[in-house]
PDB file of all heavy atoms in Angstrom:
ATOM      1  N   TYR A   1       0.860  -1.189   0.000  1.00 68.00           N
ATOM      2  CA  TYR A   1       0.000   0.000   0.000  1.00 68.00           C
ATOM      3  C   TYR A   1       0.891   1.232   0.000  1.00 68.00           C
ATOM      4  O   TYR A   1       1.784   1.367   0.828  1.00 68.00           O
ATOM      5  CB  TYR A   1      -0.913   0.003   1.228  1.00 68.00           C
ATOM      6  CG  TYR A   1      -1.798  -1.216   1.306  1.00 68.00           C
ATOM      7  CD1 TYR A   1      -1.515  -2.233   2.207  1.00 68.00           C
ATOM      8  CD2 TYR A   1      -2.885  -1.363   0.445  1.00 68.00           C
ATOM      9  CE1 TYR A   1      -2.321  -3.371   2.272  1.00 68.00           C
ATOM     10  CE2 TYR A   1      -3.687  -2.489   0.496  1.00 68.00           C
ATOM     11  CZ  TYR A   1      -3.400  -3.487   1.407  1.00 68.00           C
ATOM     12  OH  TYR A   1      -4.186  -4.616   1.457  1.00 68.00           O
ATOM     13  N   ASN A   2       0.629   2.147  -0.927  1.00 67.00           N
ATOM     14  CA  ASN A   2       1.483   3.319  -1.100  1.00 67.00           C
ATOM     15  C   ASN A   2       0.699   4.588  -0.798  1.00 67.00           C
ATOM     16  O   ASN A   2       0.147   5.222  -1.691  1.00 67.00           O
ATOM     17  CB  ASN A   2       2.025   3.366  -2.536  1.00 67.00           C
ATOM     18  CG  ASN A   2       2.808   2.116  -2.884  1.00 67.00           C
ATOM     19  OD1 ASN A   2       3.745   1.770  -2.194  1.00 67.00           O
ATOM     20  ND2 ASN A   2       2.416   1.428  -3.945  1.00 67.00           N
ATOM     21  N   ASN A   3       0.627   4.945   0.459  1.00 66.00           N
ATOM     22  CA  ASN A   3      -0.072   6.159   0.861  1.00 66.00           C
ATOM     23  C   ASN A   3       0.946   7.253   1.142  1.00 66.00           C
ATOM     24  O   ASN A   3       1.700   7.193   2.119  1.00 66.00           O
ATOM     25  CB  ASN A   3      -0.914   5.904   2.122  1.00 66.00           C
ATOM     26  CG  ASN A   3      -2.018   4.896   1.854  1.00 66.00           C
ATOM     27  OD1 ASN A   3      -2.665   4.953   0.812  1.00 66.00           O
ATOM     28  ND2 ASN A   3      -2.230   3.966   2.774  1.00 66.00           N
ATOM     29  N   VAL A   4       0.998   8.243   0.260  1.00 64.00           N
ATOM     30  CA  VAL A   4       1.888   9.381   0.448  1.00 64.00           C
ATOM     31  C   VAL A   4       1.115  10.441   1.210  1.00 64.00           C
ATOM     32  O   VAL A   4       0.060  10.904   0.773  1.00 64.00           O
ATOM     33  CB  VAL A   4       2.384   9.924  -0.901  1.00 64.00           C
ATOM     34  CG1 VAL A   4       3.291  11.134  -0.690  1.00 64.00           C
ATOM     35  CG2 VAL A   4       3.111   8.832  -1.670  1.00 64.00           C
ATOM     36  N   GLY A   5       1.643  10.833   2.368  1.00 62.00           N
ATOM     37  CA  GLY A   5       0.901  11.713   3.266  1.00 62.00           C
ATOM     38  C   GLY A   5       0.635  13.097   2.713  1.00 62.00           C
ATOM     39  O   GLY A   5      -0.402  13.693   2.990  1.00 62.00           O
ATOM     40  N   PHE A   6       1.563  13.638   1.920  1.00 72.00           N
ATOM     41  CA  PHE A   6       1.419  14.993   1.395  1.00 72.00           C
ATOM     42  C   PHE A   6       1.308  14.935  -0.128  1.00 72.00           C
ATOM     43  O   PHE A   6       1.754  13.977  -0.764  1.00 72.00           O
ATOM     44  CB  PHE A   6       2.610  15.858   1.815  1.00 72.00           C
ATOM     45  CG  PHE A   6       2.731  16.027   3.310  1.00 72.00           C
ATOM     46  CD1 PHE A   6       3.531  15.168   4.054  1.00 72.00           C
ATOM     47  CD2 PHE A   6       2.030  17.022   3.965  1.00 72.00           C
ATOM     48  CE1 PHE A   6       3.641  15.307   5.422  1.00 72.00           C
ATOM     49  CE2 PHE A   6       2.125  17.170   5.335  1.00 72.00           C
ATOM     50  CZ  PHE A   6       2.935  16.320   6.080  1.00 72.00           C
ATOM     51  N   ASN A   7       0.737  15.996  -0.673  1.00 80.00           N
ATOM     52  CA  ASN A   7       0.477  15.995  -2.109  1.00 80.00           C
ATOM     53  C   ASN A   7       1.692  16.482  -2.897  1.00 80.00           C
ATOM     54  O   ASN A   7       1.644  17.472  -3.619  1.00 80.00           O
ATOM     55  CB  ASN A   7      -0.746  16.870  -2.416  1.00 80.00           C
ATOM     56  CG  ASN A   7      -1.480  16.383  -3.660  1.00 80.00           C
ATOM     57  OD1 ASN A   7      -1.268  15.264  -4.110  1.00 80.00           O
ATOM     58  ND2 ASN A   7      -2.336  17.219  -4.203  1.00 80.00           N
ATOM     59  N   PHE A   8       2.806  15.735  -2.765  1.00 88.00           N
ATOM     60  CA  PHE A   8       4.012  16.060  -3.517  1.00 88.00           C
ATOM     61  C   PHE A   8       3.800  15.777  -5.003  1.00 88.00           C
ATOM     62  O   PHE A   8       2.939  14.979  -5.385  1.00 88.00           O
ATOM     63  CB  PHE A   8       5.192  15.221  -3.022  1.00 88.00           C
ATOM     64  CG  PHE A   8       5.591  15.492  -1.602  1.00 88.00           C
ATOM     65  CD1 PHE A   8       5.295  14.588  -0.593  1.00 88.00           C
ATOM     66  CD2 PHE A   8       6.286  16.655  -1.271  1.00 88.00           C
ATOM     67  CE1 PHE A   8       5.672  14.833   0.718  1.00 88.00           C
ATOM     68  CE2 PHE A   8       6.668  16.898   0.032  1.00 88.00           C
ATOM     69  CZ  PHE A   8       6.360  15.992   1.039  1.00 88.00           C
ATOM     70  N   SER A   9       4.613  16.409  -5.830  1.00 91.00           N
ATOM     71  CA  SER A   9       4.587  16.065  -7.249  1.00 91.00           C
ATOM     72  C   SER A   9       5.230  14.690  -7.423  1.00 91.00           C
ATOM     73  O   SER A   9       5.993  14.225  -6.569  1.00 91.00           O
ATOM     74  CB  SER A   9       5.369  17.105  -8.063  1.00 91.00           C
ATOM     75  OG  SER A   9       6.759  16.987  -7.812  1.00 91.00           O
ATOM     76  N   ALA A  10       4.908  14.047  -8.541  1.00 91.00           N
ATOM     77  CA  ALA A  10       5.476  12.722  -8.805  1.00 91.00           C
ATOM     78  C   ALA A  10       7.009  12.791  -8.827  1.00 91.00           C
ATOM     79  O   ALA A  10       7.689  11.893  -8.319  1.00 91.00           O
ATOM     80  CB  ALA A  10       4.945  12.182 -10.129  1.00 91.00           C
ATOM     81  N   MET A  11       7.563  13.876  -9.399  1.00 93.00           N
ATOM     82  CA  MET A  11       9.021  14.030  -9.441  1.00 93.00           C
ATOM     83  C   MET A  11       9.603  14.121  -8.034  1.00 93.00           C
ATOM     84  O   MET A  11      10.635  13.500  -7.731  1.00 93.00           O
ATOM     85  CB  MET A  11       9.388  15.283 -10.246  1.00 93.00           C
ATOM     86  CG  MET A  11      10.892  15.520 -10.368  1.00 93.00           C
ATOM     87  SD  MET A  11      11.731  14.140 -11.192  1.00 93.00           S
ATOM     88  CE  MET A  11      13.317  14.875 -11.549  1.00 93.00           C
ATOM     89  N   ASP A  12       8.952  14.858  -7.140  1.00 91.00           N
ATOM     90  CA  ASP A  12       9.434  14.982  -5.760  1.00 91.00           C
ATOM     91  C   ASP A  12       9.432  13.625  -5.065  1.00 91.00           C
ATOM     92  O   ASP A  12      10.345  13.303  -4.292  1.00 91.00           O
ATOM     93  CB  ASP A  12       8.561  15.964  -4.980  1.00 91.00           C
ATOM     94  CG  ASP A  12       8.801  17.410  -5.392  1.00 91.00           C
ATOM     95  OD1 ASP A  12       9.900  17.699  -5.897  1.00 91.00           O
ATOM     96  OD2 ASP A  12       7.887  18.244  -5.217  1.00 91.00           O
ATOM     97  N   VAL A  13       8.387  12.813  -5.347  1.00 91.00           N
ATOM     98  CA  VAL A  13       8.297  11.484  -4.729  1.00 91.00           C
ATOM     99  C   VAL A  13       9.451  10.612  -5.204  1.00 91.00           C
ATOM    100  O   VAL A  13      10.090   9.907  -4.412  1.00 91.00           O
ATOM    101  CB  VAL A  13       6.942  10.824  -5.045  1.00 91.00           C
ATOM    102  CG1 VAL A  13       6.935   9.363  -4.591  1.00 91.00           C
ATOM    103  CG2 VAL A  13       5.798  11.582  -4.380  1.00 91.00           C
ATOM    104  N   VAL A  14       9.747  10.645  -6.495  1.00 92.00           N
ATOM    105  CA  VAL A  14      10.837   9.827  -7.036  1.00 92.00           C
ATOM    106  C   VAL A  14      12.180  10.303  -6.483  1.00 92.00           C
ATOM    107  O   VAL A  14      13.055   9.491  -6.157  1.00 92.00           O
ATOM    108  CB  VAL A  14      10.831   9.863  -8.577  1.00 92.00           C
ATOM    109  CG1 VAL A  14      12.019   9.081  -9.136  1.00 92.00           C
ATOM    110  CG2 VAL A  14       9.528   9.271  -9.111  1.00 92.00           C
ATOM    111  N   LEU A  15      12.342  11.604  -6.345  1.00 93.00           N
ATOM    112  CA  LEU A  15      13.588  12.145  -5.798  1.00 93.00           C
ATOM    113  C   LEU A  15      13.822  11.703  -4.352  1.00 93.00           C
ATOM    114  O   LEU A  15      14.965  11.690  -3.882  1.00 93.00           O
ATOM    115  CB  LEU A  15      13.588  13.673  -5.880  1.00 93.00           C
ATOM    116  CG  LEU A  15      13.980  14.276  -7.241  1.00 93.00           C
ATOM    117  CD1 LEU A  15      13.734  15.774  -7.250  1.00 93.00           C
ATOM    118  CD2 LEU A  15      15.446  13.976  -7.557  1.00 93.00           C
ATOM    119  N   MET A  16      12.749  11.334  -3.650  1.00 91.00           N
ATOM    120  CA  MET A  16      12.909  10.825  -2.281  1.00 91.00           C
ATOM    121  C   MET A  16      13.776   9.562  -2.265  1.00 91.00           C
ATOM    122  O   MET A  16      14.394   9.237  -1.255  1.00 91.00           O
ATOM    123  CB  MET A  16      11.541  10.519  -1.664  1.00 91.00           C
ATOM    124  CG  MET A  16      10.693  11.739  -1.385  1.00 91.00           C
ATOM    125  SD  MET A  16       9.051  11.286  -0.758  1.00 91.00           S
ATOM    126  CE  MET A  16       8.244  12.893  -0.765  1.00 91.00           C
ATOM    127  N   GLY A  17      13.817   8.882  -3.388  1.00 89.00           N
ATOM    128  CA  GLY A  17      14.667   7.697  -3.481  1.00 89.00           C
ATOM    129  C   GLY A  17      16.146   8.022  -3.405  1.00 89.00           C
ATOM    130  O   GLY A  17      16.976   7.132  -3.174  1.00 89.00           O
ATOM    131  N   ARG A  18      16.503   9.284  -3.581  1.00 90.00           N
ATOM    132  CA  ARG A  18      17.908   9.685  -3.517  1.00 90.00           C
ATOM    133  C   ARG A  18      18.353  10.033  -2.096  1.00 90.00           C
ATOM    134  O   ARG A  18      19.550  10.216  -1.840  1.00 90.00           O
ATOM    135  CB  ARG A  18      18.141  10.915  -4.426  1.00 90.00           C
ATOM    136  CG  ARG A  18      17.818  10.682  -5.884  1.00 90.00           C
ATOM    137  CD  ARG A  18      18.604   9.533  -6.464  1.00 90.00           C
ATOM    138  NE  ARG A  18      20.055   9.760  -6.317  1.00 90.00           N
ATOM    139  CZ  ARG A  18      20.959   8.786  -6.309  1.00 90.00           C
ATOM    140  NH1 ARG A  18      20.582   7.516  -6.399  1.00 90.00           N
ATOM    141  NH2 ARG A  18      22.246   9.072  -6.186  1.00 90.00           N
ATOM    142  N   ASN A  19      17.397  10.135  -1.151  1.00 88.00           N
ATOM    143  CA  ASN A  19      17.723  10.572   0.209  1.00 88.00           C
ATOM    144  C   ASN A  19      18.833   9.741   0.880  1.00 88.00           C
ATOM    145  O   ASN A  19      19.689  10.302   1.557  1.00 88.00           O
ATOM    146  CB  ASN A  19      16.467  10.557   1.088  1.00 88.00           C
ATOM    147  CG  ASN A  19      15.506  11.679   0.735  1.00 88.00           C
ATOM    148  OD1 ASN A  19      15.884  12.625   0.043  1.00 88.00           O
ATOM    149  ND2 ASN A  19      14.263  11.583   1.191  1.00 88.00           N
ATOM    150  N   PRO A  20      18.840   8.391   0.705  1.00 87.00           N
ATOM    151  CA  PRO A  20      19.904   7.617   1.371  1.00 87.00           C
ATOM    152  C   PRO A  20      21.310   7.972   0.893  1.00 87.00           C
ATOM    153  O   PRO A  20      22.294   7.677   1.586  1.00 87.00           O
ATOM    154  CB  PRO A  20      19.563   6.166   1.006  1.00 87.00           C
ATOM    155  CG  PRO A  20      18.116   6.178   0.666  1.00 87.00           C
ATOM    156  CD  PRO A  20      17.874   7.504   0.039  1.00 87.00           C
ATOM    157  N   HIS A  21      21.413   8.614  -0.266  1.00 85.00           N
ATOM    158  CA  HIS A  21      22.724   8.939  -0.837  1.00 85.00           C
ATOM    159  C   HIS A  21      23.121  10.391  -0.580  1.00 85.00           C
ATOM    160  O   HIS A  21      24.166  10.844  -1.072  1.00 85.00           O
ATOM    161  CB  HIS A  21      22.710   8.660  -2.340  1.00 85.00           C
ATOM    162  CG  HIS A  21      22.337   7.253  -2.694  1.00 85.00           C
ATOM    163  ND1 HIS A  21      23.229   6.210  -2.622  1.00 85.00           N
ATOM    164  CD2 HIS A  21      21.146   6.711  -3.086  1.00 85.00           C
ATOM    165  CE1 HIS A  21      22.621   5.081  -2.979  1.00 85.00           C
ATOM    166  NE2 HIS A  21      21.355   5.363  -3.265  1.00 85.00           N
ATOM    167  N   LEU A  22      22.287  11.129   0.164  1.00 85.00           N
ATOM    168  CA  LEU A  22      22.563  12.537   0.451  1.00 85.00           C
ATOM    169  C   LEU A  22      23.039  12.705   1.885  1.00 85.00           C
ATOM    170  O   LEU A  22      22.637  11.956   2.785  1.00 85.00           O
ATOM    171  CB  LEU A  22      21.309  13.383   0.213  1.00 85.00           C
ATOM    172  CG  LEU A  22      20.669  13.328  -1.175  1.00 85.00           C
ATOM    173  CD1 LEU A  22      19.409  14.185  -1.199  1.00 85.00           C
ATOM    174  CD2 LEU A  22      21.654  13.789  -2.242  1.00 85.00           C
ATOM    175  N   GLY A  23      23.853  13.712   2.101  1.00 77.00           N
ATOM    176  CA  GLY A  23      24.281  14.030   3.450  1.00 77.00           C
ATOM    177  C   GLY A  23      23.199  14.828   4.169  1.00 77.00           C
ATOM    178  O   GLY A  23      22.182  15.222   3.583  1.00 77.00           O
ATOM    179  N   ASP A  24      23.402  15.079   5.454  1.00 76.00           N
ATOM    180  CA  ASP A  24      22.443  15.856   6.227  1.00 76.00           C
ATOM    181  C   ASP A  24      22.303  17.255   5.623  1.00 76.00           C
ATOM    182  O   ASP A  24      23.298  17.940   5.344  1.00 76.00           O
ATOM    183  CB  ASP A  24      22.891  15.975   7.685  1.00 76.00           C
ATOM    184  CG  ASP A  24      22.878  14.621   8.387  1.00 76.00           C
ATOM    185  OD1 ASP A  24      22.153  13.725   7.900  1.00 76.00           O
ATOM    186  OD2 ASP A  24      23.593  14.457   9.396  1.00 76.00           O
ATOM    187  N   PHE A  25      21.050  17.648   5.418  1.00 75.00           N
ATOM    188  CA  PHE A  25      20.711  18.979   4.881  1.00 75.00           C
ATOM    189  C   PHE A  25      21.235  19.194   3.461  1.00 75.00           C
ATOM    190  O   PHE A  25      21.253  20.319   2.961  1.00 75.00           O
ATOM    191  CB  PHE A  25      21.250  20.094   5.797  1.00 75.00           C
ATOM    192  CG  PHE A  25      20.848  19.944   7.231  1.00 75.00           C
ATOM    193  CD1 PHE A  25      21.785  19.603   8.198  1.00 75.00           C
ATOM    194  CD2 PHE A  25      19.524  20.114   7.611  1.00 75.00           C
ATOM    195  CE1 PHE A  25      21.420  19.444   9.527  1.00 75.00           C
ATOM    196  CE2 PHE A  25      19.151  19.961   8.941  1.00 75.00           C
ATOM    197  CZ  PHE A  25      20.085  19.621   9.897  1.00 75.00           C
ATOM    198  N   GLN A  26      21.654  18.125   2.807  1.00 77.00           N
ATOM    199  CA  GLN A  26      22.150  18.250   1.435  1.00 77.00           C
ATOM    200  C   GLN A  26      20.987  18.181   0.451  1.00 77.00           C
ATOM    201  O   GLN A  26      20.086  17.353   0.582  1.00 77.00           O
ATOM    202  CB  GLN A  26      23.158  17.141   1.123  1.00 77.00           C
ATOM    203  CG  GLN A  26      23.760  17.219  -0.281  1.00 77.00           C
ATOM    204  CD  GLN A  26      24.720  16.075  -0.564  1.00 77.00           C
ATOM    205  OE1 GLN A  26      25.084  15.319   0.340  1.00 77.00           O
ATOM    206  NE2 GLN A  26      25.123  15.937  -1.822  1.00 77.00           N
ATOM    207  N   MET A  27      20.994  19.026  -0.554  1.00 83.00           N
ATOM    208  CA  MET A  27      19.959  19.053  -1.581  1.00 83.00           C
ATOM    209  C   MET A  27      20.376  18.181  -2.774  1.00 83.00           C
ATOM    210  O   MET A  27      21.564  17.924  -2.976  1.00 83.00           O
ATOM    211  CB  MET A  27      19.711  20.482  -2.058  1.00 83.00           C
ATOM    212  CG  MET A  27      19.182  21.412  -0.970  1.00 83.00           C
ATOM    213  SD  MET A  27      17.540  20.923  -0.364  1.00 83.00           S
ATOM    214  CE  MET A  27      16.557  21.253  -1.829  1.00 83.00           C
ATOM    215  N   GLU A  28      19.386  17.757  -3.541  1.00 79.00           N
ATOM    216  CA  GLU A  28      19.683  16.966  -4.730  1.00 79.00           C
ATOM    217  C   GLU A  28      20.437  17.816  -5.743  1.00 79.00           C
ATOM    218  O   GLU A  28      20.136  19.007  -5.930  1.00 79.00           O
ATOM    219  CB  GLU A  28      18.398  16.436  -5.370  1.00 79.00           C
ATOM    220  CG  GLU A  28      17.566  15.527  -4.491  1.00 79.00           C
ATOM    221  CD  GLU A  28      16.547  16.305  -3.660  1.00 79.00           C
ATOM    222  OE1 GLU A  28      16.582  17.561  -3.708  1.00 79.00           O
ATOM    223  OE2 GLU A  28      15.730  15.682  -2.960  1.00 79.00           O
ATOM    224  N   ASN A  29      21.394  17.198  -6.405  1.00 86.00           N
ATOM    225  CA  ASN A  29      22.127  17.909  -7.447  1.00 86.00           C
ATOM    226  C   ASN A  29      21.685  17.423  -8.824  1.00 86.00           C
ATOM    227  O   ASN A  29      20.732  16.623  -8.957  1.00 86.00           O
ATOM    228  CB  ASN A  29      23.641  17.750  -7.252  1.00 86.00           C
ATOM    229  CG  ASN A  29      24.060  16.275  -7.235  1.00 86.00           C
ATOM    230  OD1 ASN A  29      23.424  15.430  -7.851  1.00 86.00           O
ATOM    231  ND2 ASN A  29      25.158  15.983  -6.529  1.00 86.00           N
ATOM    232  N   THR A  30      22.381  17.864  -9.834  1.00 89.00           N
ATOM    233  CA  THR A  30      22.032  17.511 -11.216  1.00 89.00           C
ATOM    234  C   THR A  30      22.070  16.003 -11.440  1.00 89.00           C
ATOM    235  O   THR A  30      21.214  15.436 -12.134  1.00 89.00           O
ATOM    236  CB  THR A  30      22.988  18.203 -12.198  1.00 89.00           C
ATOM    237  OG1 THR A  30      22.949  19.606 -11.980  1.00 89.00           O
ATOM    238  CG2 THR A  30      22.589  17.913 -13.640  1.00 89.00           C
ATOM    239  N   LYS A  31      23.068  15.336 -10.817  1.00 91.00           N
ATOM    240  CA  LYS A  31      23.182  13.883 -10.956  1.00 91.00           C
ATOM    241  C   LYS A  31      21.947  13.192 -10.391  1.00 91.00           C
ATOM    242  O   LYS A  31      21.402  12.263 -11.014  1.00 91.00           O
ATOM    243  CB  LYS A  31      24.432  13.389 -10.247  1.00 91.00           C
ATOM    244  CG  LYS A  31      24.589  11.871 -10.263  1.00 91.00           C
ATOM    245  CD  LYS A  31      25.793  11.418  -9.440  1.00 91.00           C
ATOM    246  CE  LYS A  31      25.869   9.901  -9.374  1.00 91.00           C
ATOM    247  NZ  LYS A  31      26.997   9.432  -8.519  1.00 91.00           N
ATOM    248  N   ASP A  32      21.490  13.627  -9.223  1.00 90.00           N
ATOM    249  CA  ASP A  32      20.313  13.018  -8.601  1.00 90.00           C
ATOM    250  C   ASP A  32      19.068  13.217  -9.463  1.00 90.00           C
ATOM    251  O   ASP A  32      18.255  12.306  -9.621  1.00 90.00           O
ATOM    252  CB  ASP A  32      20.074  13.620  -7.207  1.00 90.00           C
ATOM    253  CG  ASP A  32      21.223  13.347  -6.251  1.00 90.00           C
ATOM    254  OD1 ASP A  32      21.646  12.186  -6.164  1.00 90.00           O
ATOM    255  OD2 ASP A  32      21.694  14.305  -5.609  1.00 90.00           O
ATOM    256  N   ILE A  33      18.932  14.396 -10.018  1.00 92.00           N
ATOM    257  CA  ILE A  33      17.781  14.685 -10.876  1.00 92.00           C
ATOM    258  C   ILE A  33      17.826  13.825 -12.139  1.00 92.00           C
ATOM    259  O   ILE A  33      16.800  13.301 -12.594  1.00 92.00           O
ATOM    260  CB  ILE A  33      17.740  16.190 -11.224  1.00 92.00           C
ATOM    261  CG1 ILE A  33      17.460  17.000  -9.951  1.00 92.00           C
ATOM    262  CG2 ILE A  33      16.667  16.469 -12.284  1.00 92.00           C
ATOM    263  CD1 ILE A  33      17.572  18.496 -10.139  1.00 92.00           C
ATOM    264  N   ASP A  34      19.014  13.650 -12.707  1.00 92.00           N
ATOM    265  CA  ASP A  34      19.154  12.803 -13.895  1.00 92.00           C
ATOM    266  C   ASP A  34      18.788  11.352 -13.581  1.00 92.00           C
ATOM    267  O   ASP A  34      18.144  10.672 -14.394  1.00 92.00           O
ATOM    268  CB  ASP A  34      20.590  12.870 -14.427  1.00 92.00           C
ATOM    269  CG  ASP A  34      20.894  14.204 -15.086  1.00 92.00           C
ATOM    270  OD1 ASP A  34      19.941  14.928 -15.423  1.00 92.00           O
ATOM    271  OD2 ASP A  34      22.100  14.521 -15.241  1.00 92.00           O
ATOM    272  N   ILE A  35      19.206  10.859 -12.414  1.00 92.00           N
ATOM    273  CA  ILE A  35      18.886   9.485 -12.009  1.00 92.00           C
ATOM    274  C   ILE A  35      17.386   9.323 -11.829  1.00 92.00           C
ATOM    275  O   ILE A  35      16.793   8.324 -12.259  1.00 92.00           O
ATOM    276  CB  ILE A  35      19.636   9.122 -10.703  1.00 92.00           C
ATOM    277  CG1 ILE A  35      21.133   9.005 -10.976  1.00 92.00           C
ATOM    278  CG2 ILE A  35      19.102   7.818 -10.113  1.00 92.00           C
ATOM    279  CD1 ILE A  35      21.982   8.858  -9.727  1.00 92.00           C
ATOM    280  N   ALA A  36      16.743  10.328 -11.214  1.00 92.00           N
ATOM    281  CA  ALA A  36      15.292  10.276 -11.010  1.00 92.00           C
ATOM    282  C   ALA A  36      14.561  10.302 -12.351  1.00 92.00           C
ATOM    283  O   ALA A  36      13.580   9.563 -12.554  1.00 92.00           O
ATOM    284  CB  ALA A  36      14.846  11.444 -10.139  1.00 92.00           C
ATOM    285  N   LYS A  37      15.040  11.148 -13.258  1.00 93.00           N
ATOM    286  CA  LYS A  37      14.410  11.231 -14.577  1.00 93.00           C
ATOM    287  C   LYS A  37      14.527   9.896 -15.314  1.00 93.00           C
ATOM    288  O   LYS A  37      13.558   9.414 -15.924  1.00 93.00           O
ATOM    289  CB  LYS A  37      15.056  12.342 -15.406  1.00 93.00           C
ATOM    290  CG  LYS A  37      14.449  12.466 -16.798  1.00 93.00           C
ATOM    291  CD  LYS A  37      15.122  13.576 -17.604  1.00 93.00           C
ATOM    292  CE  LYS A  37      14.518  13.652 -19.006  1.00 93.00           C
ATOM    293  NZ  LYS A  37      15.179  14.698 -19.829  1.00 93.00           N
TER     294      LYS A  37
END
């Protein structure tokens, strides 16, 4: 069951998959966006 609590865009949801590879308070970079795309 995939219940997303907030109404994020589909791209934002996919980018959440990059969180384990980011440091604390680090934002996604171009590489992360390319991987999500």
Side-chain angles (χ1 to χ4, degrees):
Y1 301 105
N2 302 305
N3 296 318
V4 179
F6 298 93
N7 209 16
F8 296 106
S9 71
M11 181 60 166
D12 287 336
V13 171
V14 176
L15 278 171
M16 292 176 188
R18 300 303 302 157
N19 288 345
H21 303 280
L22 303 178
D24 294 338
F25 308 110
Q26 182 182 350
M27 297 296 292
E28 299 90 354
N29 57 29
T30 304
K31 176 185 175 183
D32 297 311
I33 293 173
D34 288 343
I35 291 171
K37 179 180 179 182

